[in-house]
Each structure stands twice: as structure tokens, then as C-alpha cells.
Amino acid sequence: MYGLVNAAIADLAREIGGDAAWQAIREEAGLVESSFVGMTAYPDELTYDLVAAAGKVLQMSQDEVLRAFGRHWVRYTGRKGWGPLLEAAGTTMPEVLGQLDALHCRVRLMLPELRPPSFRCTDVTASSLRLRYYSHRAGLAPMVVGLVEGLAELLDVEASAEAVDRVVDADAECVEFLVCYAPLRARV
Ligand code: 1DX
């Protein structure tokens, strides 16, 4: 994954446990690099190793690390100048979630090695929707719960996501989430 992801993990680890925790995670993961170049693609292995090491050092389960990472990703990318990308996607949960594939298409124009997941919304109501997450990568679904929480923070609404179904293929993973949010008001 692009270095920005690994940099976000490092930033999250420092936020939780300070620089000492991040150094311990680097050591645990056998990481040679001391920092990451955001726009350089790194092997996925490295990211998985960081998540595993972060769990060990910060005494969090893998699911907790992934969820915290999802929340942090929205904040971190906002801080690093990518906020307008997400802000342009919409102002409500269903709008933004429905625009994520288009957003990733745009980012891919710049970053040819991007392998973004795909998100599809169905059964959209004023206060809930079903979100299907299709990923090239296995085991990252708990991150989606955090991503939804991060988006909720950004949009200043209450929201939650819960996995309700999963289909695992040889080379892909599809997980369906039920996303609930504060009811949208009819526009006048
Ligand atoms: F709900 O693969 C809200 O490398 C969401 O399943 C979900 O393949 C927001 F620095 C710049 C750069 C760079 C901007 F220039 C990425 F390189 C991308 C910013 C997306 C904001 C996907 C990151 C693929 C890297 C993927 C989990 C898990 C998607 C991470 C979250 C908006 C992003 O992101 C999986 C890769 C950006 C950039 C966003 C992602 C790769 C998401 C979201 N993904 C790099």
C-alpha cells in the first residue's frame, strides 16, 4: 500500500503510546525504514506486519488496531492535505459512502499502483444503509467500522457500522455492513 497508510499507522501509534511505542513497533516488525514516503508504494506485507506489531506493543487486538486505524485515516488524510478530496464527496453519510469508488478513481489517476477497495450502498433509508465492502486484501474489514466512525466525526453526525455478512473468495473479500446514522432531515 502507499506509504501514506504506513505513515498514518506510525502517527496513530505515536498518538497512543508516544515515540517509544512507535520505536518498539518498528523493532517488533523488523522495520528498516525510519519513515515512509507517502506517494511510494510499499509491499502489503509491511502494513500487515505493522498492524500485528502495533497490536502487540499497544496491547490491542488486531480488530481494535484496524478500527482505530480506520478512524485515524480520515483525520490523518485530512491533516495531510487530502481533506478536500473527501469533502467534495458529499455532506451526508449516504452521499460520501456512495462516492468512495469515484473518489478512488480520481486518486488512481495519480497513483497507478493504488488497489482501492470498492464500496456499494444498497437499501438506503433516512437513517441506515447496507454497505458492501469488496477488497483485494484479506482481513481488513474491521477497519471499515473505524472508517465509518471517522467519516461520522468529519460530518459531525452520529453513526455506527456493524458487519452482518461476509463472503471470502480466493483473492478477495466482501463484507456487508449495516450502517446506521442520525436521520437525514428532508431538505426544504
Ligand atoms: F470509508 O484495501 C473513507 O495503496 C472510507 O481494503 C474509506 O492500494 C475514506 F499519498 C494520497 C495518497 C498518496 C491520498 F498520494 C492515498 F499516495 C486515498 C486519501 C483514499 C483518502 C486504499 C489507501 C488503497 C491505499 C484500504 C484502506 C483497505 C478508503 C485504506 C481507505 C479516502 C484508502 O479513503 C483495503 C493502496 C490517498 C487517499 C482516501 C487506500 C491504497 C476510504 C477512505 N483506504 C494515497
Side-chain angles (χ1 to χ4, degrees):
M1 282 196 259
Y2 275 92
L4 193 66
V5 172
N6 302 323
I9 295 174
D11 189 72
L12 172 66
R14 280 207 188 88
E15 199 180 281
I16 298 176
D19 196 56
W22 169 238
Q23 296 310 330
I25 290 164
R26 274 185 64 204
E27 190 157 324
E28 174 71 31
L31 189 68
V32 183
E33 289 92 340
S34 58
S35 65
F36 301 98
V37 182
M39 293 176 94
T40 294
Y42 293 80
D44 280 1
E45 273 308 303
L46 197 159
T47 305
Y48 282 101
D49 287 351
L50 284 179
V51 170
K56 240 181 180 173
V57 171
L58 301 172
Q59 299 187 298
M60 294 162 72
S61 68
Q62 296 299 288
D63 282 17
E64 283 170 336
V65 173
L66 289 168
R67 182 173 172 180
F69 170 77
R71 261 192 319 258
H72 197 66
W73 175 253
V74 176
R75 284 190 222 122
Y76 184 76
T77 52
R79 238 198 287 138
K80 293 292 168 184
W82 301 98
L85 192 71
L86 210 51
E87 280 151 23
T91 56
T92 67
M93 268 332 251
E95 263 176 19
V96 174
L97 292 173
Q99 287 298 314
L100 287 176
D101 284 10
L103 179 158
H104 283 124
C105 254
R106 231 170 297 132
V107 177
R108 241 179 82 83
L109 293 176
M110 273 194 338
L111 307 171
E113 291 177 70
L114 196 79
R115 295 178 80 212
S118 177
F119 292 92
R120 273 169 234 172
C121 300
T122 61
D123 304 354
V124 182
T125 76
S127 61
S128 73
L129 58 78
R130 284 175 184 275
L131 179 70
R132 277 203 179 171
Y133 159 71
Y134 301 86
S135 179
H136 300 283
R137 304 179 174 102
L140 301 182
M143 179 189 302
V144 175
V145 174
L147 286 163
V148 167
E149 289 167 348
L151 287 177
E153 209 174 87
L154 181 77
L155 298 172
D156 200 20
V157 294
E158 295 288 318
S160 65
E162 181 197 356
V164 289
D165 199 11
R166 95 185 317 124
V167 184
V168 181
D169 263 338
D171 192 46
E173 182 168 23
C174 166
V175 180
E176 185 168 286
F177 293 86
L178 180 62
V179 179
C180 297
Y181 39 86
L184 304 174
R185 284 191 303 143
R187 274 176 225 200
V188 269

